[in-house]
Amino acid sequence: MKKKVLSILSLSSIFWMNAQEKDSLNQKKIEEVVITGQYMQQSINKSIYKVEVIDAEQIKNMAATNAADVLNQTLNIQITPDTNSGNSTANIMGLGGNYVKILIDNIPVVGDTGLGSNIDLTKISLSNIERIEVVKGSMGVEYGNGALAGVINIITKKSSSKKLSIRAALQEETVRDGYDLRKRGKGRHIQNVNVGYNFNDHWFTNISFNHNQFMGYQGNSEGYKYFGQDNKRGLEWNPKDQYEATGLIKYTKNKTSIFYKVSYLSEKFNFYNPKVDRISLNDGQGGVTYTSTDREYNTERWLHQLNVQTTLGRIRYTGDFSYQNQDRKYFDYVYDIPNRAKDTNYDERSYYKTDVIYSRGMFSNFLDSKKFDFQLGYELDHTNGSAALIAGEFNGENIRRKIFTYGNFISGEWNISDKFSLRPGARLSLSNKFDNQFNYSLSARLKTSENSNLRGVFGTANRYPTYDELFTYFVNVNHDIQGNPDLAPEKGYSIGAFWDQGFTIGDGWKFNYNLEALYVDLKDKIEMVMIKRPSTYKYMNIDTYRSLLFAANANIVKDQFTLGVRTSLNGISVSKQDMDITSPTDFQYNFQAGANVSYKLKDIGTGFNLYYKYTGPSRLYVLEDNAFRLGRNDGFHMMDFIVSQPFWKNQLELSVGVKNIFDVTSINSTANGGNAHTTGSDRLNLYYGRSYFARLMYQF
């Protein structure tokens, strides 16, 4: 009966508004601008790309604390958590984090294995975020390596209308049914503060601090104090503690803007080993104790960015210069469980360490013509890093490498008429490790009426192989798993059509809808395949991947009320090979629906926000017993409800709510066939269940 009631509630809520689309209709906004893929800041309505925007107000209403929390509400983006490493990466249209480019202010973010790809989104806090821009499809011309499935651009705040602005917030959350403020307690504890100051009309500075502490979730495990020898010790979700500090200074005068930003992140992640050893004390009395070898990960990340926007005569110039480094260290220690004693004799080592010097520059407005103009750009990436044995199984203590990549790109924007414009583009990328890569694109926008646009976008992109794919070497009596230094970059393309229209119904009602179709094709996909039975594996350029997306969205706004719905159908076809076996290549489809409704009481300002997302069952072919079979992941519903109340002339706001109302933790899965490293599982971990929260925010 309970399941039937929940299903009815879920189906009913599908008619409510989606959070990602309300920006185009919100009466408070005159003309929202975007920067992703643009020559300069551009009206979202005039952008030649279809850009989805999640603004600061929406982020606040969601009570989200990091980028992963926000993007989980977006259709066709699935956040994939790894409970062992603590990382959560984005999956777009079935393609994982290696194929999604993550940017902060148009600059790729440093991660464990390089720049921009496979980024842990829980490491990106939202304490100073202006908006998040999402573009689906291949963006290799504009953003180079790894931008195959899409680009997520996180835009930070760099100005304020006030002389002094202060924002501080405290947020406390339960983790399912657990909450405790003690040192070894439960729940999530988040604190952040942001201060901005305008010295005069030209100088602005901003500093922010964020602390996000997740105490872990025990689930069906027995906790770190448990010493039974049944592999039940530890937690299903391990604890994580993050500190982040950011500072910015900006100078603006006439047509010149310069800002420098520095950000520091420190993260500690604890892994409690489920395996327990029985150790004899050799005390002559038969005494024993129980120990486990636990692991602590410590990550430090520095981001430095200098941005210059100016004019050289009539030519517009935008230049980004960045130095970033991330060092992820670990140490193992023996924990005496009954005596609660930690062996302090350990050796901390780096296993992923990356230093990046990056620059991106663009020159535009050469002809100063509204009819036709073009842009020239360059991108430089010098990455120096190392990966140790723990990061994959490698032949040697560390794999060190220096990769230098340089790209030049050009695009032209031709406004054939007031209604029709074209933008062709091309990029040549040079690398000291791989063959030259050539990408190209063609985008078009047709203004079909004053409030409607039809966009067509074609683009290509490539992805360079990773550490594991190149250098893995794990050979013993039971295993023979090897990387392949001769791997070629993966290559793919996408083609899409996007239609949107908005109009006023009457009596203040505004309506908007959009339709989209997108196809992604990826060749030379790198996979680990068996080359000799029973246990010899090697990474090879062997698979193909195709993804087809159809989506329809409708939204309506009146005064303090917002309502809408999103739906999509995503089909995936994968050609997998293993020895002499080839998988079927038919498309397997997944249906998703998302909705949101928001309402604010006009007199007292109380806000109500409800967010809903349904992910239908998905199917894919997996290899098992030397044959491919069709596996299935169950569908699931997600829903959050938040109530906010301002006080004290809107300077103080209290928000309370419940997240993951349907208490989703893991789902049934027959699609985890395992690989050479791991065995399959019949459950897929997604979330840690229902949680309740309260947030107190002060704004001045």
Side-chain angles (χ1 to χ4, degrees):
M1 182 64 184
K2 180 180 178 182
K3 291 183 178 179
K4 290 182 179 180
V5 172
L6 294 180
S7 298
I8 293 170
L9 289 172
S10 302
L11 293 172
S12 300
S13 64
I14 200 171
F15 298 102
W16 296 337
M17 169 66 190
N18 175 276
Q20 277 66 47
E21 295 296 332
K22 75 174 185 179
D23 55 88
S24 61
L25 297 172
N26 197 326
Q27 293 177 327
K28 296 180 181 179
K29 299 178 186 177
I30 299 174
E31 191 174 45
E32 186 165 34
V33 296
V34 294
I35 67 171
T36 306
Q38 311 303 314
Y39 285 3
M40 56 183 296
Q41 282 197 346
Q42 179 70 278
S43 162
I44 190 171
N45 190 49
K46 296 178 181 179
S47 166
I48 204 159
Y49 290 104
K50 172 61 177 175
V51 183
E52 297 178 49
V53 177
I54 310 168
D55 64 23
E57 183 69 16
Q58 291 169 275
I59 293 171
K60 180 174 75 72
N61 290 341
M62 291 178 186
T65 59
N66 57 53
D69 292 343
V70 173
L71 293 169
N72 250 331
Q73 294 287 350
T74 305
L75 261 63
N76 302 300
I77 297 181
Q78 180 66 45
I79 302 303
T80 306
D82 184 336
T83 57
N84 289 325
S85 71
N87 291 345
S88 295
T89 56
N91 179 305
I92 294 182
M93 295 174 62
L95 287 169
N98 281 328
Y99 303 90
V100 180
K101 198 87 170 197
I102 307 296
L103 316 172
I104 296 180
D105 294 322
N106 246 23
I107 296 292
V109 185
V110 69
D112 288 337
T113 58
L115 195 67
S117 297
N118 214 28
I119 302 300
D120 176 19
L121 293 169
T122 67
K123 288 186 174 70
I124 301 177
S125 69
L126 303 174
S127 60
N128 192 40
I129 300 299
E130 182 175 292
R131 64 186 183 275
I132 299 175
E133 299 178 0
V134 180
V135 180
K136 295 186 179 76
S138 299
M139 300 278 287
V141 171
E142 289 82 0
Y143 296 106
N145 174 49
L148 272 159
V151 170
I152 298 172
N153 198 359
I154 297 161
I155 313 301
T156 61
K157 295 177 181 177
K158 306 175 193 69
S159 63
S160 174
S161 59
K162 299 178 181 179
K163 181 72 173 179
L164 174 66
S165 59
I166 301 173
R167 186 178 69 255
L170 296 174
Q171 185 164 325
E172 296 293 313
E173 296 187 15
T174 68
V175 173
R176 211 171 191 191
D177 56 353
Y179 177 78
D180 197 326
L181 270 173
R182 294 180 301 172
K183 181 180 179 181
R184 292 281 188 175
K186 302 176 182 179
R188 290 179 73 183
H189 317 292
I190 303 106
Q191 311 92 43
N192 58 69
V193 61
N194 185 283
V195 180
Y197 184 73
N198 280 302
F199 293 98
N200 51 43
D201 292 340
H202 306 301
W203 288 95
F204 170 77
T205 189
N206 177 274
I207 57 173
S208 64
F209 172 81
N210 186 75
H211 176 220
N212 190 336
Q213 185 178 34
F214 171 63
M215 304 303 294
Y217 171 60
Q218 182 171 309
N220 292 321
S221 298
E222 298 292 342
Y224 74 97
K225 299 178 182 179
Y226 179 74
F227 49 89
Q229 293 183 283
D230 51 9
N231 288 320
K232 291 185 177 181
R233 178 181 179 265
L235 290 81
E236 284 191 4
W237 293 74
N238 289 295
K240 179 190 290 191
D241 197 11
Q242 293 177 341
Y243 293 88
E244 185 178 25
T246 301
L248 175 141
I249 186 164
K250 181 179 180 181
Y251 172 79
T252 306
K253 187 174 183 180
N254 299 328
K255 295 182 179 180
T256 297
S257 173
I258 303 172
F259 75 80
Y260 166 73
K261 183 175 65 176
V262 59
S263 176
Y264 171 74
L265 171 82
S266 175
E267 177 187 273
K268 182 173 77 171
F269 177 77
N270 296 99
F271 173 75
Y272 296 112
N273 197 337
K275 184 177 181 296
V276 176
D277 296 316
R278 185 178 185 271
I279 306 297
S280 173
L281 295 179
N282 296 317
D283 56 2
Q285 300 179 7
V288 298
T289 189
Y290 296 88
T291 67
S292 191
T293 302
D294 293 337
R295 178 170 290 164
E296 181 176 308
Y297 298 86
N298 292 288
T299 302
E300 287 190 335
R301 183 182 71 194
W302 283 94
L303 308 179
H304 300 266
Q305 180 183 357
L306 176 67
N307 174 272
V308 179
Q309 299 180 49
T310 189
T311 56
L312 308 171
R314 67 186 180 192
I315 298 174
R316 286 193 297 265
Y317 169 71
T318 299
D320 286 294
F321 308 88
S322 178
Y323 170 71
Q324 307 179 44
N325 68 72
Q326 180 163 304
D327 190 0
R328 188 170 171 91
K329 300 179 180 179
Y330 81 100
F331 63 85
D332 290 334
Y333 60 91
V334 176
Y335 187 69
D336 187 334
I337 305 171
N339 296 306
R340 309 286 189 266
K342 175 180 176 181
D343 181 4
T344 57
N345 183 24
Y346 58 81
D347 180 27
E348 187 174 45
R349 303 162 55 195
S350 294
Y351 78 92
Y352 272 141
K353 186 175 183 180
T354 308
D355 290 271
V356 178
I357 297 174
Y358 177 88
S359 179
R360 186 173 190 261
M362 295 176 292
F363 301 85
S364 60
N365 200 44
F366 287 91
L367 305 179
D368 195 23
S369 169
K370 294 183 178 180
K371 191 76 173 177
F372 177 80
D373 218 321
F374 64 95
Q375 172 184 260
L376 292 173
Y378 74 87
E379 185 177 47
L380 179 154
D381 171 9
H382 181 274
T383 300
N384 182 14
S386 63
L389 191 65
I390 188 178
E393 298 296 343
F394 300 111
N395 184 18
E397 180 69 14
N398 287 281
I399 296 299
R400 298 183 181 276
R401 56 87 176 92
K402 292 182 180 179
I403 297 178
F404 177 76
T405 304
Y406 179 80
N408 280 111
F409 53 94
I410 182 172
S411 64
E413 193 154 310
W414 181 18
N415 295 311
I416 298 174
S417 68
D418 292 339
K419 295 184 177 180
F420 186 60
S421 59
L422 284 174
R423 186 194 289 182
R427 170 191 282 250
L428 175 64
S429 296
L430 312 175
S431 170
N432 65 333
K433 295 292 184 183
F434 305 101
D435 292 339
N436 297 343
Q437 300 296 307
F438 181 71
N439 290 302
Y440 45 92
S441 64
L442 178 63
S443 305
R445 183 177 72 92
L446 175 64
K447 184 179 179 180
T448 52
S449 71
E450 188 63 30
N451 296 306
S452 65
N453 294 278
L454 176 63
R455 293 176 174 87
V457 180
F458 171 82
T460 69
N462 61 268
R463 183 185 77 85
Y464 295 127
T466 64
Y467 286 125
D468 290 25
E469 294 161 348
L470 290 169
F471 302 121
T472 294
Y473 188 89
F474 182 31
V475 179
N476 58 26
V477 175
N478 299 314
H479 300 85
D480 186 345
I481 306 168
Q482 299 185 34
N484 185 355
D486 298 322
L487 288 171
E490 299 178 355
K491 299 178 182 179
Y493 71 87
S494 69
I495 184 168
F498 308 88
W499 162 272
D500 63 83
Q501 184 172 22
F503 47 86
T504 301
I505 301 175
D507 194 27
W509 290 91
K510 292 189 175 183
F511 180 75
N512 167 276
Y513 71 92
N514 62 74
L515 306 171
E516 57 187 76
L518 181 63
Y519 173 74
V520 175
D521 192 295
L522 174 60
K523 300 186 185 304
D524 296 326
K525 192 172 186 297
I526 298 170
E527 292 286 353
M528 182 192 296
V529 297
M530 180 184 291
I531 59 173
K532 184 180 179 180
R533 292 190 174 94
S535 58
T536 301
Y537 294 84
K538 189 175 183 178
Y539 285 100
M540 298 181 68
N541 293 99
I542 198 167
D543 288 353
T544 59
Y545 183 99
R546 295 178 296 162
S547 185
L548 185 60
L549 173 68
F550 299 99
N553 316 301
N555 315 273
I556 192 166
V557 170
K558 178 176 170 38
D559 300 329
Q560 309 296 316
F561 178 72
T562 309
L563 173 72
V565 63
R566 284 169 64 92
T567 60
S568 73
L569 185 66
N570 181 207
I572 294 174
S573 167
V574 183
S575 173
K576 292 185 177 182
Q577 298 183 42
D578 199 81
M579 293 288 289
D580 53 351
I581 309 168
T582 302
S583 70
T585 57
D586 53 321
F587 279 88
Q588 298 297 324
Y589 288 91
N590 168 248
F591 175 75
Q592 292 189 7
N596 163 266
V597 61
S598 64
Y599 182 72
K600 181 176 285 188
L601 299 177
K602 188 173 182 180
D603 294 334
I604 59 176
T606 306
F608 302 90
N609 291 274
L610 188 144
Y611 301 91
Y612 169 76
K613 181 180 177 180
Y614 168 69
T615 301
S618 61
R619 296 172 177 82
L620 69 156
Y621 287 99
V622 293
L623 182 64
E624 189 174 84
D625 298 328
N626 299 322
F628 283 98
R629 63 169 177 82
L630 191 60
R632 182 183 189 272
N633 292 324
D634 280 356
F636 60 95
H637 303 270
M638 294 292 294
M639 185 181 288
D640 300 343
F641 180 64
I642 299 103
V643 180
S644 301
Q645 178 61 57
F647 302 94
W648 197 19
K649 298 181 179 179
N650 294 328
Q651 291 185 11
L652 199 65
E653 182 179 89
L654 175 65
S655 300
V656 296
V658 54
K659 298 180 180 181
N660 195 350
I661 291 175
F662 297 132
D663 198 26
V664 178
T665 55
S666 60
I667 58 174
N668 293 320
S669 174
T670 60
N672 293 325
N675 55 40
H677 291 290
T678 61
T679 58
S681 169
D682 61 357
R683 300 291 295 176
L684 182 63
N685 278 343
L686 294 174
Y687 312 100
Y688 50 76
R690 185 185 301 115
S691 64
Y692 301 88
F693 80 91
R695 180 187 64 197
L696 185 64
M697 178 181 292
Y698 171 77
Q699 298 182 85
F700 172 78

